[in-house]
Amino acid sequence: MTEPAQPQPRFTVETAKVLAEVAHNRQKDKLKRPYREHVLAVGDALADFDDDIRIAGYLHDIAEDTPMTRQALLDMGVSERAVDIIERVTKRLHENPDDYQAGIRYIAEDHDATLVKIADNAHNSLPERVKALAEKWPDKPPVTRYDDARPVLYAAVPVEETRKILARINPWLLKELDDRLDEADDTDYEFLSYDDDPAGVTAAAPGEIPAGETESARD
C-alpha cells in the first residue's frame, strides 16, 4: 500500500529570515558592511503586513544576488505570490535593467512589490548611510535616484501603509512624506466654504442649536 504523501512544511516568515541570512552571509554592501543587515532590515520593516509580503521583503534580493531560481523557491514552499513579488523587484529580470526609473514605474504597478521597494528604498536612504556614501565618493551626488523614486512609489499605495514602513525603518523620511503631501494639497483654506457640510449640519451662532439637531442630541 502506498504511503500517503506527507504535507510539505509551510514556508514561514522565520524560515525566510534564516534563508536571507544564509544566502547573503558573505556579501558586503558598497560600504563594506554585511549585506544581510540590509535584507533583514527590509523584512523587519514590513512587520505590519501579511506573511507573503514579509517573506518577499526578507528575500527581495535573493534572485538578484544569488543563484536561487524561481523554481527553487517554489520547491522550498515559498508561495507563488511571494515569488512574484521577489521577481518584480529584481532589477536583472526587468525589460531594461539599466533604466532604473523605468524599473521603479514597473514595480509601482503592483501594490505588494511597491511596499517591498519602499522599505528597500528607505533603508538605502538612511541619513548615516547617505552621509557615508557622500564621504566615500564626494564627486557623486548621494543616492539621488532613491530620492527620485520615492514620489512614484508613494503615489502607488495608501499613504498610511507608507507611514507604517517609514516609521519602522527610516523615521527621518516621514517629514519628507508630509512635505510632499502638503505640496500636493491644493485646497485654498483661506476661502474654504462650509456650505456643503458633509454631516448635514450647518454652522450656528454661539448658543444656538444647529439645523437638524435637537436639544437631546447635544446632551
Side-chain angles (χ1 to χ4, degrees):
M1 184 175 178
T2 305
E3 290 279 338
Q6 293 298 315
Q8 186 178 32
R10 190 168 68 90
F11 192 95
T12 67
V13 171
E14 284 304 312
T15 309
K17 193 170 183 177
V18 172
L19 176 58
E21 288 189 86
V22 173
H24 299 284
N25 184 48
R26 296 182 178 275
Q27 297 173 355
K28 304 289 185 183
D29 67 10
K30 292 179 180 178
L31 297 170
K32 304 302 181 185
R33 298 170 180 172
Y35 196 71
R36 65 178 180 275
E37 293 177 1
H38 168 71
V39 294
L40 294 180
V42 170
D44 289 348
L46 297 164
D48 296 299
F49 301 93
D50 64 51
D51 284 2
D52 282 341
I53 292 174
R54 295 175 68 192
I55 287 169
Y58 286 117
L59 303 181
H60 75 277
D61 271 336
I62 201 162
E64 186 80 62
D65 299 328
T66 80
M68 191 72 69
T69 65
R70 176 186 182 88
Q71 191 57 52
L73 290 170
L74 293 172
D75 289 346
M76 294 174 71
V78 182
S79 72
E80 286 202 27
R81 178 181 171 222
V83 175
D84 286 344
I85 298 170
I86 293 165
E87 290 195 331
R88 185 170 281 263
V89 299
T90 299
K91 185 173 68 171
R92 69 175 183 81
L93 299 179
H94 291 174
E95 184 174 340
N96 185 356
D98 295 327
D99 190 337
Y100 182 79
Q101 291 304 323
I104 292 297
R105 291 191 295 272
Y106 172 67
I107 291 169
E109 293 173 4
D110 182 86
H111 169 269
D112 299 343
T114 301
L115 295 179
V116 172
K117 195 62 183 176
I118 287 173
D120 177 42
N121 180 296
H123 190 254
N124 283 326
S125 303
L126 283 167
E128 58 91 18
R129 184 177 186 275
V130 173
K131 181 174 182 290
L133 287 170
E135 290 173 350
K136 188 167 184 177
W137 289 286
D139 58 325
K140 294 182 180 179
V143 295
T144 53
R145 68 177 187 171
Y146 298 140
D147 297 343
D148 296 339
R150 285 197 286 275
V152 180
L153 296 170
Y154 292 172
V157 296
V159 65
E160 287 310 313
E161 295 184 345
T162 299
R163 286 189 195 281
K164 287 178 180 179
I165 296 170
L166 298 185
R168 287 185 178 276
I169 196 168
N170 189 342
W172 292 271
L173 288 180
L174 287 169
K175 183 181 184 306
E176 178 191 88
L177 175 63
D178 287 335
D179 289 345
R180 290 186 191 279
L181 292 173
D182 288 343
E183 289 175 7
D185 185 358
D186 58 1
T187 304
D188 189 343
Y189 288 98
E190 184 177 355
F191 298 102
L192 187 64
S193 171
Y194 293 94
D195 291 342
D196 299 324
D197 187 346
V201 179
T202 56
E208 293 183 354
I209 302 173
E213 189 174 277
T214 64
E215 282 281 2
S216 60
R218 301 181 66 191
D219 293 339

